[in-house]
Amino acid sequence: MGSWAGAGGCLLLSVATSTLILLTRPPGSWGARIIGGHEVAPHSRPYMASLRFQGQHHCGGFLLRARWVVSAAHCIKDRDPLAGLVVLGAHDLRVAETTQQVFSIQDAFTHPDYQPSTHANDICLLKLNVSAALGGAVGLLKLPRRGARPPKAGAWCQVNGWGAVSDFQDLPPGLMEAKVRVLGSDTCNNSWSGRLRPAMLCARSGDSRRRGFCSADSGGPLVCGSRAHGLVSFSGLWCGDPKYPDVYTQVSAFVTWIWGVIQQ
């Protein structure tokens, strides 16, 4: 992800006239990281998944069931998802940790109403070729309950990812995390000049610091309490910029669709 970003590759720029200009960039092309965050204790977020293409970390996601990973639709836009790999049980992606489990993707399901131009319905499901072995380093993350409302404005949540730590795509020392605060939809939509669509959720730092997600953090979960309430979707040109709050797919709006696909 990154700026209006890893999001299917569109970079959103704000210029002096408040005009919005769209430029094309490859997904995840802006080297960046969880902004204003910290490295978590190894395997303390056992639900985290790394989606890889050609041996490189591309996006995040989370393990919902032993054979099912939830991620963002833009992560597999213009790519053959069956050519990707999913890595579970990782902390440091630079080494082959004994806790890591690597899977091929048997099938992928993008939401039928996904709209790359607006990022609406930016969610997908990845079915692994075999079931993951659950344990201390690999675990599940719950969805919101059916019919659940999104977290209230002001609620504190956390976002995780393995986004690179420099413009040279250097990987972080391990899984990173930032604590962010949910923003009211009206306030967020005003910041984005009315560009938000239904089923989007916003968050930003609770102070003046830059804090949030960036490029290769796409698809990772926004965890509020013990449930995944958001998926990293898009942000402004400068990652963690309070002027353009980070935007997530609101997972609670897709619970029925998710279970419908899994139970097919």
Side-chain angles (χ1 to χ4, degrees), residues 63-164:
L63 189 66
L64 174 64
R65 287 290 180 266
R67 286 189 70 179
W68 291 92
V69 167
V70 183
S71 189
H74 76 257
C75 288
I76 57 174
K77 179 180 177 292
D78 300 327
R79 290 179 179 269
D80 176 7
L82 305 190
L85 295 175
V86 170
V87 180
L88 302 174
H91 177 70
D92 184 350
L93 293 179
R94 299 169 299 180
V95 298
E97 300 160 309
T98 58
T99 54
Q100 292 182 12
Q101 300 178 36
V102 182
F103 304 86
S104 59
I105 299 170
Q106 178 178 309
D107 212 343
F109 302 84
T110 297
H111 193 278
D113 297 323
Y114 169 54
Q115 299 173 17
S117 60
T118 64
H119 307 285
N121 310 302
D122 188 10
I123 186 171
C124 73
L125 290 172
L126 305 175
K127 186 177 184 180
L128 308 180
N129 62 318
V130 295
S131 295
L134 303 182
V138 175
L140 308 179
L141 180 60
K142 295 180 179 179
L143 295 177
R145 294 182 177 87
R146 292 180 190 268
R149 294 179 176 273
K152 293 182 179 180
W156 286 101
C157 304
Q158 65 200 38
V159 59
N160 297 91
W162 285 283

Side-chain angles (χ1 to χ4, degrees), residues 98-257:
T98 58
T99 54
Q100 292 182 12
Q101 300 178 36
V102 182
F103 304 86
S104 59
I105 299 170
Q106 178 178 309
D107 212 343
F109 302 84
T110 297
H111 193 278
D113 297 323
Y114 169 54
Q115 299 173 17
S117 60
T118 64
H119 307 285
N121 310 302
D122 188 10
I123 186 171
C124 73
L125 290 172
L126 305 175
K127 186 177 184 180
L128 308 180
N129 62 318
V130 295
S131 295
L134 303 182
V138 175
L140 308 179
L141 180 60
K142 295 180 179 179
L143 295 177
R145 294 182 177 87
R146 292 180 190 268
R149 294 179 176 273
K152 293 182 179 180
W156 286 101
C157 304
Q158 65 200 38
V159 59
N160 297 91
W162 285 283
V165 297
S166 79
D167 291 331
F168 301 102
Q169 298 291 296
D170 296 322
L171 292 174
L175 181 64
M176 305 293 286
E177 179 174 286
K179 190 176 180 181
V180 294
R181 205 164 194 174
V182 174
L183 187 64
S185 58
D186 290 343
T187 302
C188 185
N189 209 14
N190 287 337
S191 298
W192 281 100
S193 303
R195 300 180 71 95
L196 265 61
R197 296 294 183 268
M200 290 182 177
L201 177 67
C202 298
R204 65 181 177 189
S205 65
D207 51 36
S208 59
R209 291 186 59 195
R210 290 176 57 211
R211 188 181 300 116
F213 60 71
C214 212
S215 58
D217 296 320
S218 283
L222 177 72
V223 179
C224 307
S226 60
R227 298 177 185 267
H229 278 273
L231 289 175
V232 172
S233 187
F234 67 92
S235 70
L237 173 60
W238 304 110
C239 299
D241 185 354
K243 294 182 180 178
Y244 294 98
D246 290 345
V247 183
Y248 299 79
T249 301
Q250 182 189 315
V251 174
S252 61
F254 301 96
V255 172
T256 298
W257 174 75

Side-chain angles (χ1 to χ4, degrees), residues 43-75:
H43 315 301
S44 58
R45 309 291 184 263
Y47 48 77
M48 285 297 297
S50 168
L51 175 59
R52 294 185 182 182
F53 287 99
Q54 297 180 330
Q56 299 295 318
H57 171 75
H58 177 67
C59 274
F62 70 90
L63 189 66
L64 174 64
R65 287 290 180 266
R67 286 189 70 179
W68 291 92
V69 167
V70 183
S71 189
H74 76 257
C75 288

